[in-house]
Every structure is written in C-alpha cells, then in structure tokens.
Amino acid sequence: MPVEAASSGPRDLLWLSALLAGLGPQARAARAALAGGEGPEARARTCIDGGSPALIAVHAPGRRTWEAHVMEPDAGDGERRSWHGMRWAPGGKHQALHRTLYRSRRGDAAVAARHAAAAHGPQALEHFERFHARLGPSGLIYSVGTDPEDGGGPRVAWQLDRHVDAAALVEGLLDLADWRQAVAAIGAVQGIDFVRGAGPWSISIAPAAPQRGVRIGSTRWARAVDDAEKRRRFAAWIGGLGGDGAYAAGLYQLLDEARPQGSLESIGRAVEVDLAAGSVIAARAYLAVPRAPHPRPPASAGLSERSELCLG
C-alpha cells in the first residue's frame, strides 16, 4: 500500500521514517509505541534538539534500525527534559530508551547519576566518581539515562565548558591517541579540522559496563548549513563506518524536504562516536524532526508498508 493511498493511521514524519527504516507493517506499531512528537515547543530548548519535539538517530555499524526520541514537556522549573525513545529493528525486536536532560549545575544531575551508578554496585560507583572528579569541575552532567545495550545500567553524559582544553582535561581518562581518533572521526562528518579546545564536547560512560568504553560527542554539526554537501558527508560517514549510507541519505532528505519554507533550524544536530580498545567502534547521529512537517516521501524513495524502502 503506497503511503499516499493509505486510508488510516498516522501520516507523520516519524511514521514515514519507520517505513524508511524497513519496518513495513510494523511501522504503525513502532510509531504508536512512541506516543507524542507533535506537542508545543518546550521552554527548555537544548543544543541537541534545537527545540524540535522529536529526534531520529542513525547508527553505524549495522543494518538500518529505527530509533526515535520524543521530547516531553519540561519539569516544573524548566530545568529538566525527558526523552522517551524506541529502537525498533526490522523483524520486530525493539527496546525502550529513556534519558533525562539537565540544564543547570544545581547538583540534581550529579545526585541522580551517583544514585543510578551506586545501584549497580561499588565498582560502578567508583567508575562514575573517577570521571566526575575530572570532568565535573569543567562541565556539567547534562544527561542521565538507560539503554538496554548498556546492560540495563545507567549512561551518564557530561557537557564540557565550551572553551575548555578538552584534550588536556581527558588526560588520564583516555589515551591521547584515542582522543585524536574520536576528534578526527567527528571532524570527518562535520567537514572541519578542530582547533585546540573547539567545543562544545560531550563525554559519556556506562558506569556499570566499563567495557562499553567512552562516548565522545559534539553539537558543532548543527551549525553547518543544511545543504547537499552536509547530507553527502553524513551518508558517506555512516556508510564508511559500516552503517547504511543509503538510509542515512534518504532519511536526511525526507526530513529536510518537510522543513517549513524559510526555516533556519538545522536537521543534523549532533554526532557521537564510541571508543573502546583503542578504536572507534561505533557512531551515531541525531536528526531533528521539523516542527511543522508536511510529510512527503523523497522523490527517489518508494515507501511501502509491505516492503522495505527502495532508495533507488
């Protein structure tokens, strides 16, 4: 059943993106499991979402998998936002995700992170405290969440102060060569060579699963103009790291073409890479869903509920 001929069900970008990921008839169930994504703009805008009510993540390596996050309204004081997410693979396997984002240094985030780490034993708490002692004075914990891929334990992320010398700061936590690998990988998708201290940077760990390594992220990607070159670099980056470059290109095009005319909000918002055993082992990028979408499939894409997307 072609998308335009569908007689029922949601006709929004999250649903179309699930079709693009190859979910077929499961796209409706995946979208329904992630209720929301059309609400009013939250007061606590972050540099990751740019005020968008929903984000879609693209991963490498591996086959295309639909992962989307819906932004919930602010907590009462406007200092916190919750992401509720779903990761859904063709075939039906799916996982629920959750993150709370913090905006201040009042200490709530550190308390939440410490409590979450301690719940998984003294070694997890020690791992968290080691990183927090080094990163906390020069940044803030901006995210505490859970992801089944981290073994059910928490994932804690710090945002470093914009002008801090990040390479010097992580000395003792990371090998300098590993840090340079991460910077080079992120620079490849952003199309720039980073200068000393160029931020903002984020660093996250899974305290209960130290074998998962360290995740390095940057939101400088959001500053790049959304043009054909940005989309080309993104697709090549995902494909070069073992992901589905055609899916990455098609998804970016779907979201970009749905953006209201004249909008300056960036679709490509943030990128992250995972470091473990001295290598970049994984990457992900977050794309913003436009606030006032007018969903239509890219001209090059044949969307169907009965088959995986053909990107042509």
Side-chain angles (χ1 to χ4, degrees):
M1 180 187 298
V3 169
E4 287 86 356
S7 59
S8 63
R11 294 170 178 262
D12 59 28
L13 287 169
L14 289 174
W15 176 53
L16 290 175
S17 68
L19 287 176
L20 197 69
L23 299 194
Q26 297 170 345
R28 294 184 188 278
R31 175 62 182 94
L34 193 63
E38 303 92 5
E41 183 171 355
R43 288 180 289 116
R45 173 190 178 106
T46 73
C47 59
I48 299 176
D49 59 70
S52 171
L55 296 175
I56 301 174
V58 181
H59 295 257
R63 63 181 300 188
R64 63 183 70 176
T65 297
W66 186 71
E67 179 179 323
H69 302 262
V70 170
M71 309 306 168
E72 298 297 328
D74 299 345
D77 57 7
E79 293 295 332
R80 298 186 300 278
R81 292 188 72 179
S82 291
W83 288 10
H84 294 295
M86 290 294 298
R87 182 182 297 127
W88 200 296
K93 182 179 179 181
H94 55 278
Q95 300 170 320
L97 313 168
H98 179 267
R99 294 173 70 179
T100 299
L101 273 62
Y102 298 84
R103 290 172 53 85
S104 77
R105 301 175 186 265
R106 294 187 312 181
D108 295 1
V111 171
R114 187 170 285 113
H115 178 77
H120 289 267
Q123 290 183 325
L125 179 59
E126 181 182 358
H127 191 52
F128 162 75
E129 295 289 7
R130 176 170 170 258
F131 273 76
H132 190 52
R134 187 72 172 172
L135 304 179
S138 298
L140 75 156
I141 294 176
Y142 80 91
S143 172
V144 180
T146 57
D147 184 332
E149 290 188 351
D150 292 327
R155 176 162 288 274
V156 181
W158 291 261
Q159 179 179 314
L160 305 185
D161 293 340
R162 185 176 298 273
H163 300 296
V164 71
D165 184 346
L169 186 64
V170 301
E171 187 176 358
L173 299 175
L174 290 174
D175 186 279
L176 185 56
D178 293 347
W179 171 258
R180 288 172 177 163
Q181 278 195 70
V183 170
I186 291 174
V189 69
Q190 297 191 351
I192 60 175
D193 291 326
F194 285 99
V195 298
R196 176 184 174 92
W201 293 103
S202 67
I203 296 177
S204 77
I205 59 170
Q211 72 277 9
R212 298 280 295 169
V214 178
R215 183 169 296 166
I216 311 296
S218 171
T219 55
R220 284 180 67 92
W221 195 39
R223 304 181 191 179
V225 176
D226 273 314
D227 57 12
E229 180 60 21
K230 182 176 180 179
R231 189 163 64 229
R232 184 201 65 77
R233 283 197 309 268
F234 169 56
W237 188 67
I238 290 293
L241 291 169
D244 191 326
Y247 168 59
L251 178 60
Y252 208 116
Q253 183 179 349
L254 173 71
L255 299 177
D256 190 41
E257 290 186 353
R259 186 166 43 178
Q261 187 174 7
S263 172
L264 298 178
E265 295 293 345
S266 179
I267 298 297
R269 300 298 311 176
V271 290
E272 297 175 328
V273 296
D274 289 1
L275 288 167
S279 300
V280 173
I281 61 168
R284 65 192 47 74
Y286 293 97
L287 308 182
V289 174
R291 176 154 300 282
H294 303 286
R296 59 186 185 278
S300 61
L303 290 170
S304 168
E305 287 190 311
R306 294 181 179 175
S307 63
E308 293 195 2
L309 177 75
C310 175
L311 288 170

mmCIF file of all heavy atoms in Angstrom, residues 186-206:
data_model
loop_
_atom_site.group_PDB
_atom_site.id
_atom_site.type_symbol
_atom_site.label_atom_id
_atom_site.label_comp_id
_atom_site.label_asym_id
_atom_site.label_seq_id
_atom_site.Cartn_x
_atom_site.Cartn_y
_atom_site.Cartn_z
ATOM 1 N N ILE A 186 34.818 12.632 14.183
ATOM 2 C CA ILE A 186 33.752 13.636 14.245
ATOM 3 C C ILE A 186 34.020 14.752 13.244
ATOM 4 O O ILE A 186 33.101 15.257 12.583
ATOM 5 C CB ILE A 186 33.616 14.176 15.676
ATOM 6 C CG1 ILE A 186 33.052 13.073 16.584
ATOM 7 C CG2 ILE A 186 32.731 15.409 15.718
ATOM 8 C CD1 ILE A 186 32.998 13.434 18.049
ATOM 9 N N GLY A 187 35.283 15.132 13.093
ATOM 10 C CA GLY A 187 35.626 16.162 12.118
ATOM 11 C C GLY A 187 35.284 15.755 10.698
ATOM 12 O O GLY A 187 34.944 16.596 9.864
ATOM 13 N N ALA A 188 35.335 14.446 10.407
ATOM 14 C CA ALA A 188 35.055 13.975 9.049
ATOM 15 C C ALA A 188 33.613 14.248 8.647
ATOM 16 O O ALA A 188 33.335 14.644 7.510
ATOM 17 C CB ALA A 188 35.355 12.477 8.948
ATOM 18 N N VAL A 189 32.669 14.054 9.561
ATOM 19 C CA VAL A 189 31.270 14.304 9.208
ATOM 20 C C VAL A 189 30.949 15.792 9.257
ATOM 21 O O VAL A 189 30.094 16.282 8.523
ATOM 22 C CB VAL A 189 30.313 13.505 10.126
ATOM 23 C CG1 VAL A 189 30.328 14.043 11.545
ATOM 24 C CG2 VAL A 189 28.899 13.517 9.568
ATOM 25 N N GLN A 190 31.657 16.530 10.099
ATOM 26 C CA GLN A 190 31.393 17.958 10.200
ATOM 27 C C GLN A 190 32.119 18.763 9.134
ATOM 28 O O GLN A 190 31.807 19.932 8.910
ATOM 29 C CB GLN A 190 31.774 18.456 11.598
ATOM 30 C CG GLN A 190 30.937 17.796 12.687
ATOM 31 C CD GLN A 190 31.098 18.448 14.039
ATOM 32 O OE1 GLN A 190 31.952 19.292 14.237
ATOM 33 N NE2 GLN A 190 30.267 18.056 14.985
ATOM 34 N N GLY A 191 33.107 18.143 8.489
ATOM 35 C CA GLY A 191 33.805 18.820 7.411
ATOM 36 C C GLY A 191 34.760 19.895 7.874
ATOM 37 O O GLY A 191 35.047 20.839 7.141
ATOM 38 N N ILE A 192 35.285 19.759 9.102
ATOM 39 C CA ILE A 192 36.215 20.754 9.628
ATOM 40 C C ILE A 192 37.352 20.046 10.351
ATOM 41 O O ILE A 192 37.229 18.892 10.765
ATOM 42 C CB ILE A 192 35.532 21.729 10.614
ATOM 43 C CG1 ILE A 192 34.950 20.962 11.817
ATOM 44 C CG2 ILE A 192 34.466 22.542 9.919
ATOM 45 C CD1 ILE A 192 34.378 21.871 12.883
ATOM 46 N N ASP A 193 38.463 20.759 10.499
ATOM 47 C CA ASP A 193 39.554 20.318 11.354
ATOM 48 C C ASP A 193 39.429 21.080 12.665
ATOM 49 O O ASP A 193 39.443 22.312 12.677
ATOM 50 C CB ASP A 193 40.913 20.611 10.709
ATOM 51 C CG ASP A 193 41.164 19.733 9.498
ATOM 52 O OD1 ASP A 193 40.720 18.577 9.512
ATOM 53 O OD2 ASP A 193 41.795 20.220 8.540
ATOM 54 N N PHE A 194 39.299 20.354 13.757
ATOM 55 C CA PHE A 194 39.106 21.010 15.038
ATOM 56 C C PHE A 194 40.390 21.678 15.513
ATOM 57 O O PHE A 194 41.481 21.124 15.390
ATOM 58 C CB PHE A 194 38.650 19.998 16.091
ATOM 59 C CG PHE A 194 37.216 19.596 15.939
ATOM 60 C CD1 PHE A 194 36.880 18.410 15.310
ATOM 61 C CD2 PHE A 194 36.198 20.411 16.405
ATOM 62 C CE1 PHE A 194 35.566 18.035 15.162
ATOM 63 C CE2 PHE A 194 34.880 20.048 16.261
ATOM 64 C CZ PHE A 194 34.557 18.857 15.638
ATOM 65 N N VAL A 195 40.226 22.869 16.065
ATOM 66 C CA VAL A 195 41.351 23.561 16.671
ATOM 67 C C VAL A 195 41.359 23.234 18.154
ATOM 68 O O VAL A 195 40.418 22.657 18.700
ATOM 69 C CB VAL A 195 41.248 25.086 16.466
ATOM 70 C CG1 VAL A 195 41.295 25.413 14.989
ATOM 71 C CG2 VAL A 195 39.974 25.642 17.091
ATOM 72 N N ARG A 196 42.425 23.612 18.805
ATOM 73 C CA ARG A 196 42.586 23.340 20.230
ATOM 74 C C ARG A 196 41.378 23.852 21.023
ATOM 75 O O ARG A 196 41.008 25.020 20.937
ATOM 76 C CB ARG A 196 43.863 24.035 20.731
ATOM 77 C CG ARG A 196 44.109 23.917 22.230
ATOM 78 C CD ARG A 196 45.350 24.735 22.590
ATOM 79 N NE ARG A 196 45.564 24.779 24.020
ATOM 80 C CZ ARG A 196 46.313 23.918 24.681
ATOM 81 N NH1 ARG A 196 46.904 22.944 24.034
ATOM 82 N NH2 ARG A 196 46.473 24.024 25.986
ATOM 83 N N GLY A 197 40.750 22.948 21.765
ATOM 84 C CA GLY A 197 39.665 23.328 22.656
ATOM 85 C C GLY A 197 38.338 23.603 21.989
ATOM 86 O O GLY A 197 37.397 24.017 22.652
ATOM 87 N N ALA A 198 38.226 23.413 20.647
ATOM 88 C CA ALA A 198 36.986 23.762 19.960
ATOM 89 C C ALA A 198 35.843 22.897 20.463
ATOM 90 O O ALA A 198 35.828 21.699 20.245
ATOM 91 C CB ALA A 198 37.156 23.598 18.456
ATOM 92 N N GLY A 199 34.895 23.515 21.144
ATOM 93 C CA GLY A 199 33.762 22.783 21.689
ATOM 94 C C GLY A 199 32.474 23.223 21.021
ATOM 95 O O GLY A 199 32.515 23.913 20.005
ATOM 96 N N PRO A 200 31.341 22.839 21.593
ATOM 97 C CA PRO A 200 31.224 22.072 22.836
ATOM 98 C C PRO A 200 31.404 20.570 22.621
ATOM 99 O O PRO A 200 31.008 20.036 21.589
ATOM 100 C CB PRO A 200 29.790 22.382 23.280
ATOM 101 C CG PRO A 200 29.052 22.624 21.995
ATOM 102 C CD PRO A 200 30.040 23.271 21.063
ATOM 103 N N TRP A 201 32.001 19.915 23.619
ATOM 104 C CA TRP A 201 32.202 18.473 23.600
ATOM 105 C C TRP A 201 31.346 17.828 24.676
ATOM 106 O O TRP A 201 31.075 18.428 25.715
ATOM 107 C CB TRP A 201 33.665 18.124 23.884
ATOM 108 C CG TRP A 201 34.633 18.544 22.837
ATOM 109 C CD1 TRP A 201 35.485 19.610 22.885
ATOM 110 C CD2 TRP A 201 34.867 17.900 21.583
ATOM 111 N NE1 TRP A 201 36.229 19.675 21.737
ATOM 112 C CE2 TRP A 201 35.870 18.639 20.918
ATOM 113 C CE3 TRP A 201 34.321 16.779 20.956
ATOM 114 C CZ2 TRP A 201 36.347 18.285 19.662
ATOM 115 C CZ3 TRP A 201 34.796 16.430 19.705
ATOM 116 C CH2 TRP A 201 35.797 17.175 19.070
ATOM 117 N N SER A 202 30.964 16.582 24.428
ATOM 118 C CA SER A 202 30.313 15.787 25.468
ATOM 119 C C SER A 202 31.062 14.471 25.610
ATOM 120 O O SER A 202 31.657 13.972 24.651
ATOM 121 C CB SER A 202 28.842 15.517 25.133
ATOM 122 O OG SER A 202 28.727 14.666 24.004
ATOM 123 N N ILE A 203 31.037 13.935 26.816
ATOM 124 C CA ILE A 203 31.663 12.648 27.119
ATOM 125 C C ILE A 203 30.679 11.848 27.951
ATOM 126 O O ILE A 203 30.118 12.368 28.926
ATOM 127 C CB ILE A 203 32.985 12.828 27.890
ATOM 128 C CG1 ILE A 203 34.005 13.566 27.015
ATOM 129 C CG2 ILE A 203 33.537 11.483 28.352
ATOM 130 C CD1 ILE A 203 35.315 13.859 27.721
ATOM 131 N N SER A 204 30.440 10.593 27.564
ATOM 132 C CA SER A 204 29.527 9.768 28.350
ATOM 133 C C SER A 204 30.113 8.386 28.575
ATOM 134 O O SER A 204 30.931 7.899 27.790
ATOM 135 C CB SER A 204 28.153 9.662 27.677
ATOM 136 O OG SER A 204 28.170 8.756 26.592
ATOM 137 N N ILE A 205 29.667 7.771 29.672
ATOM 138 C CA ILE A 205 30.107 6.431 30.046
ATOM 139 C C ILE A 205 28.908 5.641 30.562
ATOM 140 O O ILE A 205 27.880 6.212 30.945
ATOM 141 C CB ILE A 205 31.195 6.452 31.141
ATOM 142 C CG1 ILE A 205 30.670 7.148 32.400
ATOM 143 C CG2 ILE A 205 32.465 7.115 30.632
ATOM 144 C CD1 ILE A 205 31.581 7.002 33.615
ATOM 145 N N ALA A 206 29.060 4.326 30.572
ATOM 146 C CA ALA A 206 28.103 3.427 31.217
ATOM 147 C C ALA A 206 28.810 2.874 32.458
ATOM 148 O O ALA A 206 29.588 1.920 32.346
ATOM 149 C CB ALA A 206 27.694 2.303 30.280
#
